[in-house]
Amino acid sequence: MNILLVEDDQRISNFLVKGLTEIGYYVTLADSGEKARELIGAYEFEVILMDIMLPGLDGMQLTQMIRFKGNYTPILVISALNSPDDKINMLDLGADDYLSKPFHFEELISRIKALTRRNRMSYQEEMQFLRCGNIIINKDLHRVTQNGKEIEFSPTEYKLLSFLLENKNKVLSRTQILHSVWGINFDNNTNLVDVYISYIRNKIDEEEEKIIHTIKGTGYLVKD
């Protein structure tokens, strides 16, 4: 497991790096918020252990920045600040858990394991399901539902809708769709994409909210 430790107290960081390394974790140390920001931008971590009181960019600001950039790596705050308000503020900013100093090392390990286990389960669910608005695709079962009601699609319709949802919030050209769903040998001038989009639109209910948007002169966009 690759862990980022953000801690400016050398005594604490030495203890944590030694202990985590001994049980098989790979630990990268950042002794400031600015250094942590650089590392997070360049590498992927499975867990971030973060103090709040850091020189310069503090833990609150760093947590806000991480979440604002769409990075949802689990953050476990380790801090001497232990009032309910401190904990609530960090959790509201996007931290996943909070451990007050001093703490037992065994409890830290348990918290890390719980966070990574929860994150893996969330990732597996994300990989199994595609969602957009009230439409859900279960990729394991090749099943499409809207507001809980199953919709029957042909294999090609299913493949097209899946491709659209996999690229949710991106404008896709007709050529991109054609090549990805039907293969590169099809004539780019065919209206096949438009025909199958109409098939899908006839089967889903867009009265409540628009799902498939036509981008004039370009292609299509599925967005929440």
Side-chain angles (χ1 to χ4, degrees), residues 204-222:
I204 63 175
D205 181 4
E206 293 188 299
E207 288 186 8
E208 182 180 328
E209 58 181 316
K210 189 78 170 174
I211 303 295
I212 303 174
H213 300 260
T214 302
I215 308 302
K216 191 174 181 179
T218 304
Y220 294 95
L221 167 68
V222 162

mmCIF file with all atom_site columns, all heavy atoms in Angstrom, residues 204-222:
data_model
loop_
_atom_site.group_PDB
_atom_site.id
_atom_site.type_symbol
_atom_site.label_atom_id
_atom_site.label_alt_id
_atom_site.label_comp_id
_atom_site.label_asym_id
_atom_site.label_entity_id
_atom_site.label_seq_id
_atom_site.pdbx_PDB_ins_code
_atom_site.Cartn_x
_atom_site.Cartn_y
_atom_site.Cartn_z
_atom_site.occupancy
_atom_site.B_iso_or_equiv
_atom_site.pdbx_formal_charge
_atom_site.auth_seq_id
_atom_site.auth_comp_id
_atom_site.auth_asym_id
_atom_site.auth_atom_id
_atom_site.pdbx_PDB_model_num
ATOM 1   N N   . ILE A 1 204 ? -36.235 5.314  -23.768 1.00 0.00 ? 204 ILE A N   1
ATOM 2   C CA  . ILE A 1 204 ? -36.055 5.926  -22.450 1.00 0.00 ? 204 ILE A CA  1
ATOM 3   C C   . ILE A 1 204 ? -37.009 7.105  -22.292 1.00 0.00 ? 204 ILE A C   1
ATOM 4   O O   . ILE A 1 204 ? -37.508 7.658  -23.271 1.00 0.00 ? 204 ILE A O   1
ATOM 5   C CB  . ILE A 1 204 ? -34.596 6.389  -22.228 1.00 0.00 ? 204 ILE A CB  1
ATOM 6   C CG1 . ILE A 1 204 ? -34.197 7.494  -23.228 1.00 0.00 ? 204 ILE A CG1 1
ATOM 7   C CG2 . ILE A 1 204 ? -33.633 5.216  -22.300 1.00 0.00 ? 204 ILE A CG2 1
ATOM 8   C CD1 . ILE A 1 204 ? -32.812 8.060  -22.971 1.00 0.00 ? 204 ILE A CD1 1
ATOM 9   N N   . ASP A 1 205 ? -37.268 7.452  -21.050 1.00 0.00 ? 205 ASP A N   1
ATOM 10  C CA  . ASP A 1 205 ? -38.168 8.559  -20.730 1.00 0.00 ? 205 ASP A CA  1
ATOM 11  C C   . ASP A 1 205 ? -37.335 9.793  -20.418 1.00 0.00 ? 205 ASP A C   1
ATOM 12  O O   . ASP A 1 205 ? -36.586 9.816  -19.437 1.00 0.00 ? 205 ASP A O   1
ATOM 13  C CB  . ASP A 1 205 ? -39.033 8.177  -19.529 1.00 0.00 ? 205 ASP A CB  1
ATOM 14  C CG  . ASP A 1 205 ? -40.022 9.272  -19.146 1.00 0.00 ? 205 ASP A CG  1
ATOM 15  O OD1 . ASP A 1 205 ? -40.088 10.290 -19.860 1.00 0.00 ? 205 ASP A OD1 1
ATOM 16  O OD2 . ASP A 1 205 ? -40.715 9.109  -18.129 1.00 0.00 ? 205 ASP A OD2 1
ATOM 17  N N   . GLU A 1 206 ? -37.449 10.818 -21.271 1.00 0.00 ? 206 GLU A N   1
ATOM 18  C CA  . GLU A 1 206 ? -36.701 12.053 -21.055 1.00 0.00 ? 206 GLU A CA  1
ATOM 19  C C   . GLU A 1 206 ? -37.610 13.214 -20.636 1.00 0.00 ? 206 GLU A C   1
ATOM 20  O O   . GLU A 1 206 ? -37.205 14.368 -20.679 1.00 0.00 ? 206 GLU A O   1
ATOM 21  C CB  . GLU A 1 206 ? -35.914 12.433 -22.309 1.00 0.00 ? 206 GLU A CB  1
ATOM 22  C CG  . GLU A 1 206 ? -34.781 11.470 -22.637 1.00 0.00 ? 206 GLU A CG  1
ATOM 23  C CD  . GLU A 1 206 ? -33.888 11.964 -23.761 1.00 0.00 ? 206 GLU A CD  1
ATOM 24  O OE1 . GLU A 1 206 ? -34.396 12.158 -24.890 1.00 0.00 ? 206 GLU A OE1 1
ATOM 25  O OE2 . GLU A 1 206 ? -32.694 12.177 -23.509 1.00 0.00 ? 206 GLU A OE2 1
ATOM 26  N N   . GLU A 1 207 ? -38.820 12.893 -20.228 1.00 0.00 ? 207 GLU A N   1
ATOM 27  C CA  . GLU A 1 207 ? -39.727 13.943 -19.781 1.00 0.00 ? 207 GLU A CA  1
ATOM 28  C C   . GLU A 1 207 ? -39.272 14.548 -18.462 1.00 0.00 ? 207 GLU A C   1
ATOM 29  O O   . GLU A 1 207 ? -39.356 15.754 -18.247 1.00 0.00 ? 207 GLU A O   1
ATOM 30  C CB  . GLU A 1 207 ? -41.149 13.384 -19.649 1.00 0.00 ? 207 GLU A CB  1
ATOM 31  C CG  . GLU A 1 207 ? -41.828 13.094 -20.984 1.00 0.00 ? 207 GLU A CG  1
ATOM 32  C CD  . GLU A 1 207 ? -43.276 12.686 -20.809 1.00 0.00 ? 207 GLU A CD  1
ATOM 33  O OE1 . GLU A 1 207 ? -43.779 12.775 -19.668 1.00 0.00 ? 207 GLU A OE1 1
ATOM 34  O OE2 . GLU A 1 207 ? -43.902 12.286 -21.809 1.00 0.00 ? 207 GLU A OE2 1
ATOM 35  N N   . GLU A 1 208 ? -38.782 13.698 -17.561 1.00 0.00 ? 208 GLU A N   1
ATOM 36  C CA  . GLU A 1 208 ? -38.333 14.161 -16.250 1.00 0.00 ? 208 GLU A CA  1
ATOM 37  C C   . GLU A 1 208 ? -37.037 14.952 -16.368 1.00 0.00 ? 208 GLU A C   1
ATOM 38  O O   . GLU A 1 208 ? -36.867 16.000 -15.758 1.00 0.00 ? 208 GLU A O   1
ATOM 39  C CB  . GLU A 1 208 ? -38.144 12.960 -15.317 1.00 0.00 ? 208 GLU A CB  1
ATOM 40  C CG  . GLU A 1 208 ? -37.738 13.319 -13.914 1.00 0.00 ? 208 GLU A CG  1
ATOM 41  C CD  . GLU A 1 208 ? -37.558 12.095 -13.038 1.00 0.00 ? 208 GLU A CD  1
ATOM 42  O OE1 . GLU A 1 208 ? -38.269 11.096 -13.260 1.00 0.00 ? 208 GLU A OE1 1
ATOM 43  O OE2 . GLU A 1 208 ? -36.708 12.148 -12.133 1.00 0.00 ? 208 GLU A OE2 1
ATOM 44  N N   . GLU A 1 209 ? -36.094 14.443 -17.132 1.00 0.00 ? 209 GLU A N   1
ATOM 45  C CA  . GLU A 1 209 ? -34.830 15.140 -17.362 1.00 0.00 ? 209 GLU A CA  1
ATOM 46  C C   . GLU A 1 209 ? -34.217 14.655 -18.670 1.00 0.00 ? 209 GLU A C   1
ATOM 47  O O   . GLU A 1 209 ? -34.300 13.487 -19.025 1.00 0.00 ? 209 GLU A O   1
ATOM 48  C CB  . GLU A 1 209 ? -33.853 14.918 -16.206 1.00 0.00 ? 209 GLU A CB  1
ATOM 49  C CG  . GLU A 1 209 ? -33.520 13.464 -15.926 1.00 0.00 ? 209 GLU A CG  1
ATOM 50  C CD  . GLU A 1 209 ? -32.570 13.303 -14.760 1.00 0.00 ? 209 GLU A CD  1
ATOM 51  O OE1 . GLU A 1 209 ? -31.590 14.067 -14.691 1.00 0.00 ? 209 GLU A OE1 1
ATOM 52  O OE2 . GLU A 1 209 ? -32.805 12.434 -13.913 1.00 0.00 ? 209 GLU A OE2 1
ATOM 53  N N   . LYS A 1 210 ? -33.600 15.584 -19.378 1.00 0.00 ? 210 LYS A N   1
ATOM 54  C CA  . LYS A 1 210 ? -32.954 15.269 -20.649 1.00 0.00 ? 210 LYS A CA  1
ATOM 55  C C   . LYS A 1 210 ? -31.704 14.455 -20.383 1.00 0.00 ? 210 LYS A C   1
ATOM 56  O O   . LYS A 1 210 ? -30.882 14.805 -19.535 1.00 0.00 ? 210 LYS A O   1
ATOM 57  C CB  . LYS A 1 210 ? -32.595 16.564 -21.384 1.00 0.00 ? 210 LYS A CB  1
ATOM 58  C CG  . LYS A 1 210 ? -32.121 16.374 -22.803 1.00 0.00 ? 210 LYS A CG  1
ATOM 59  C CD  . LYS A 1 210 ? -33.264 16.124 -23.739 1.00 0.00 ? 210 LYS A CD  1
ATOM 60  C CE  . LYS A 1 210 ? -32.798 16.170 -25.201 1.00 0.00 ? 210 LYS A CE  1
ATOM 61  N NZ  . LYS A 1 210 ? -33.877 15.798 -26.120 1.00 0.00 ? 210 LYS A NZ  1
ATOM 62  N N   . ILE A 1 211 ? -31.544 13.344 -21.097 1.00 0.00 ? 211 ILE A N   1
ATOM 63  C CA  . ILE A 1 211 ? -30.379 12.476 -20.907 1.00 0.00 ? 211 ILE A CA  1
ATOM 64  C C   . ILE A 1 211 ? -29.384 12.636 -22.050 1.00 0.00 ? 211 ILE A C   1
ATOM 65  O O   . ILE A 1 211 ? -28.207 12.907 -21.832 1.00 0.00 ? 211 ILE A O   1
ATOM 66  C CB  . ILE A 1 211 ? -30.812 10.994 -20.803 1.00 0.00 ? 211 ILE A CB  1
ATOM 67  C CG1 . ILE A 1 211 ? -31.814 10.795 -19.666 1.00 0.00 ? 211 ILE A CG1 1
ATOM 68  C CG2 . ILE A 1 211 ? -29.592 10.097 -20.624 1.00 0.00 ? 211 ILE A CG2 1
ATOM 69  C CD1 . ILE A 1 211 ? -31.274 11.060 -18.303 1.00 0.00 ? 211 ILE A CD1 1
ATOM 70  N N   . ILE A 1 212 ? -29.866 12.485 -23.283 1.00 0.00 ? 212 ILE A N   1
ATOM 71  C CA  . ILE A 1 212 ? -28.987 12.559 -24.463 1.00 0.00 ? 212 ILE A CA  1
ATOM 72  C C   . ILE A 1 212 ? -29.197 13.908 -25.151 1.00 0.00 ? 212 ILE A C   1
ATOM 73  O O   . ILE A 1 212 ? -30.300 14.235 -25.581 1.00 0.00 ? 212 ILE A O   1
ATOM 74  C CB  . ILE A 1 212 ? -29.283 11.411 -25.445 1.00 0.00 ? 212 ILE A CB  1
ATOM 75  C CG1 . ILE A 1 212 ? -29.134 10.058 -24.754 1.00 0.00 ? 212 ILE A CG1 1
ATOM 76  C CG2 . ILE A 1 212 ? -28.347 11.479 -26.649 1.00 0.00 ? 212 ILE A CG2 1
ATOM 77  C CD1 . ILE A 1 212 ? -29.553 8.879  -25.621 1.00 0.00 ? 212 ILE A CD1 1
ATOM 78  N N   . HIS A 1 213 ? -28.127 14.669 -25.227 1.00 0.00 ? 213 HIS A N   1
ATOM 79  C CA  . HIS A 1 213 ? -28.192 15.998 -25.825 1.00 0.00 ? 213 HIS A CA  1
ATOM 80  C C   . HIS A 1 213 ? -27.518 15.980 -27.196 1.00 0.00 ? 213 HIS A C   1
ATOM 81  O O   . HIS A 1 213 ? -26.408 15.454 -27.332 1.00 0.00 ? 213 HIS A O   1
ATOM 82  C CB  . HIS A 1 213 ? -27.498 17.029 -24.938 1.00 0.00 ? 213 HIS A CB  1
ATOM 83  C CG  . HIS A 1 213 ? -28.106 17.147 -23.569 1.00 0.00 ? 213 HIS A CG  1
ATOM 84  N ND1 . HIS A 1 213 ? -28.984 18.148 -23.225 1.00 0.00 ? 213 HIS A ND1 1
ATOM 85  C CD2 . HIS A 1 213 ? -27.964 16.366 -22.465 1.00 0.00 ? 213 HIS A CD2 1
ATOM 86  C CE1 . HIS A 1 213 ? -29.350 18.000 -21.965 1.00 0.00 ? 213 HIS A CE1 1
ATOM 87  N NE2 . HIS A 1 213 ? -28.748 16.923 -21.481 1.00 0.00 ? 213 HIS A NE2 1
ATOM 88  N N   . THR A 1 214 ? -28.177 16.543 -28.187 1.00 0.00 ? 214 THR A N   1
ATOM 89  C CA  . THR A 1 214 ? -27.589 16.678 -29.526 1.00 0.00 ? 214 THR A CA  1
ATOM 90  C C   . THR A 1 214 ? -26.747 17.935 -29.580 1.00 0.00 ? 214 THR A C   1
ATOM 91  O O   . THR A 1 214 ? -27.219 19.025 -29.238 1.00 0.00 ? 214 THR A O   1
ATOM 92  C CB  . THR A 1 214 ? -28.688 16.753 -30.600 1.00 0.00 ? 214 THR A CB  1
ATOM 93  O OG1 . THR A 1 214 ? -29.495 15.573 -30.525 1.00 0.00 ? 214 THR A OG1 1
ATOM 94  C CG2 . THR A 1 214 ? -28.067 16.853 -31.988 1.00 0.00 ? 214 THR A CG2 1
ATOM 95  N N   . ILE A 1 215 ? -25.500 17.786 -29.973 1.00 0.00 ? 215 ILE A N   1
ATOM 96  C CA  . ILE A 1 215 ? -24.601 18.939 -30.135 1.00 0.00 ? 215 ILE A CA  1
ATOM 97  C C   . ILE A 1 215 ? -24.517 19.218 -31.628 1.00 0.00 ? 215 ILE A C   1
ATOM 98  O O   . ILE A 1 215 ? -23.883 18.474 -32.378 1.00 0.00 ? 215 ILE A O   1
ATOM 99  C CB  . ILE A 1 215 ? -23.200 18.660 -29.549 1.00 0.00 ? 215 ILE A CB  1
ATOM 100 C CG1 . ILE A 1 215 ? -23.318 18.162 -28.108 1.00 0.00 ? 215 ILE A CG1 1
ATOM 101 C CG2 . ILE A 1 215 ? -22.339 19.913 -29.630 1.00 0.00 ? 215 ILE A CG2 1
ATOM 102 C CD1 . ILE A 1 215 ? -24.026 19.100 -27.162 1.00 0.00 ? 215 ILE A CD1 1
ATOM 103 N N   . LYS A 1 216 ? -25.181 20.272 -32.044 1.00 0.00 ? 216 LYS A N   1
ATOM 104 C CA  . LYS A 1 216 ? -25.335 20.562 -33.467 1.00 0.00 ? 216 LYS A CA  1
ATOM 105 C C   . LYS A 1 216 ? -23.991 20.636 -34.187 1.00 0.00 ? 216 LYS A C   1
ATOM 106 O O   . LYS A 1 216 ? -23.074 21.313 -33.754 1.00 0.00 ? 216 LYS A O   1
ATOM 107 C CB  . LYS A 1 216 ? -26.099 21.879 -33.640 1.00 0.00 ? 216 LYS A CB  1
ATOM 108 C CG  . LYS A 1 216 ? -26.545 22.136 -35.068 1.00 0.00 ? 216 LYS A CG  1
ATOM 109 C CD  . LYS A 1 216 ? -27.412 23.384 -35.143 1.00 0.00 ? 216 LYS A CD  1
ATOM 110 C CE  . LYS A 1 216 ? -27.875 23.636 -36.572 1.00 0.00 ? 216 LYS A CE  1
ATOM 111 N NZ  . LYS A 1 216 ? -28.743 24.844 -36.667 1.00 0.00 ? 216 LYS A NZ  1
ATOM 112 N N   . GLY A 1 217 ? -23.910 19.904 -35.286 1.00 0.00 ? 217 GLY A N   1
ATOM 113 C CA  . GLY A 1 217 ? -22.708 19.902 -36.103 1.00 0.00 ? 217 GLY A CA  1
ATOM 114 C C   . GLY A 1 217 ? -21.575 19.066 -35.556 1.00 0.00 ? 217 GLY A C   1
ATOM 115 O O   . GLY A 1 217 ? -20.510 18.964 -36.187 1.00 0.00 ? 217 GLY A O   1
ATOM 116 N N   . THR A 1 218 ? -21.759 18.450 -34.391 1.00 0.00 ? 218 THR A N   1
ATOM 117 C CA  . THR A 1 218 ? -20.682 17.674 -33.771 1.00 0.00 ? 218 THR A CA  1
ATOM 118 C C   . THR A 1 218 ? -21.076 16.240 -33.475 1.00 0.00 ? 218 THR A C   1
ATOM 119 O O   . THR A 1 218 ? -20.546 15.292 -34.041 1.00 0.00 ? 218 THR A O   1
ATOM 120 C CB  . THR A 1 218 ? -20.206 18.355 -32.483 1.00 0.00 ? 218 THR A CB  1
ATOM 121 O OG1 . THR A 1 218 ? -19.813 19.706 -32.760 1.00 0.00 ? 218 THR A OG1 1
ATOM 122 C CG2 . THR A 1 218 ? -19.021 17.604 -31.878 1.00 0.00 ? 218 THR A CG2 1
ATOM 123 N N   . GLY A 1 219 ? -22.028 16.077 -32.562 1.00 0.00 ? 219 GLY A N   1
ATOM 124 C CA  . GLY A 1 219 ? -22.389 14.723 -32.144 1.00 0.00 ? 219 GLY A CA  1
ATOM 125 C C   . GLY A 1 219 ? -23.349 14.741 -30.987 1.00 0.00 ? 219 GLY A C   1
ATOM 126 O O   . GLY A 1 219 ? -24.364 15.445 -31.017 1.00 0.00 ? 219 GLY A O   1
ATOM 127 N N   . TYR A 1 220 ? -22.993 14.017 -29.923 1.00 0.00 ? 220 TYR A N   1
ATOM 128 C CA  . TYR A 1 220 ? -23.915 13.855 -28.810 1.00 0.00 ? 220 TYR A CA  1
ATOM 129 C C   . TYR A 1 220 ? -23.189 13.983 -27.461 1.00 0.00 ? 220 TYR A C   1
ATOM 130 O O   . TYR A 1 220 ? -21.993 13.769 -27.372 1.00 0.00 ? 220 TYR A O   1
ATOM 131 C CB  . TYR A 1 220 ? -24.610 12.492 -28.890 1.00 0.00 ? 220 TYR A CB  1
ATOM 132 C CG  . TYR A 1 220 ? -25.512 12.374 -30.096 1.00 0.00 ? 220 TYR A CG  1
ATOM 133 C CD1 . TYR A 1 220 ? -25.040 11.787 -31.285 1.00 0.00 ? 220 TYR A CD1 1
ATOM 134 C CD2 . TYR A 1 220 ? -26.805 12.894 -30.084 1.00 0.00 ? 220 TYR A CD2 1
ATOM 135 C CE1 . TYR A 1 220 ? -25.853 11.698 -32.410 1.00 0.00 ? 220 TYR A CE1 1
ATOM 136 C CE2 . TYR A 1 220 ? -27.623 12.814 -31.205 1.00 0.00 ? 220 TYR A CE2 1
ATOM 137 C CZ  . TYR A 1 220 ? -27.143 12.211 -32.350 1.00 0.00 ? 220 TYR A CZ  1
ATOM 138 O OH  . TYR A 1 220 ? -27.948 12.148 -33.472 1.00 0.00 ? 220 TYR A OH  1
ATOM 139 N N   . LEU A 1 221 ? -23.999 14.318 -26.455 1.00 0.00 ? 221 LEU A N   1
ATOM 140 C CA  . LEU A 1 221 ? -23.487 14.494 -25.104 1.00 0.00 ? 221 LEU A CA  1
ATOM 141 C C   . LEU A 1 221 ? -24.489 13.912 -24.116 1.00 0.00 ? 221 LEU A C   1
ATOM 142 O O   . LEU A 1 221 ? -25.682 14.245 -24.168 1.00 0.00 ? 221 LEU A O   1
ATOM 143 C CB  . LEU A 1 221 ? -23.263 15.981 -24.797 1.00 0.00 ? 221 LEU A CB  1
ATOM 144 C CG  . LEU A 1 221 ? -23.030 16.394 -23.339 1.00 0.00 ? 221 LEU A CG  1
ATOM 145 C CD1 . LEU A 1 221 ? -21.687 15.875 -22.845 1.00 0.00 ? 221 LEU A CD1 1
ATOM 146 C CD2 . LEU A 1 221 ? -23.094 17.916 -23.209 1.00 0.00 ? 221 LEU A CD2 1
ATOM 147 N N   . VAL A 1 222 ? -24.008 13.042 -23.248 1.00 0.00 ? 222 VAL A N   1
ATOM 148 C CA  . VAL A 1 222 ? -24.820 12.565 -22.131 1.00 0.00 ? 222 VAL A CA  1
ATOM 149 C C   . VAL A 1 222 ? -24.279 13.255 -20.882 1.00 0.00 ? 222 VAL A C   1
ATOM 150 O O   . VAL A 1 222 ? -23.082 13.231 -20.623 1.00 0.00 ? 222 VAL A O   1
ATOM 151 C CB  . VAL A 1 222 ? -24.697 11.037 -21.995 1.00 0.00 ? 222 VAL A CB  1
ATOM 152 C CG1 . VAL A 1 222 ? -25.166 10.593 -20.626 1.00 0.00 ? 222 VAL A CG1 1
ATOM 153 C CG2 . VAL A 1 222 ? -25.541 10.342 -23.051 1.00 0.00 ? 222 VAL A CG2 1
#
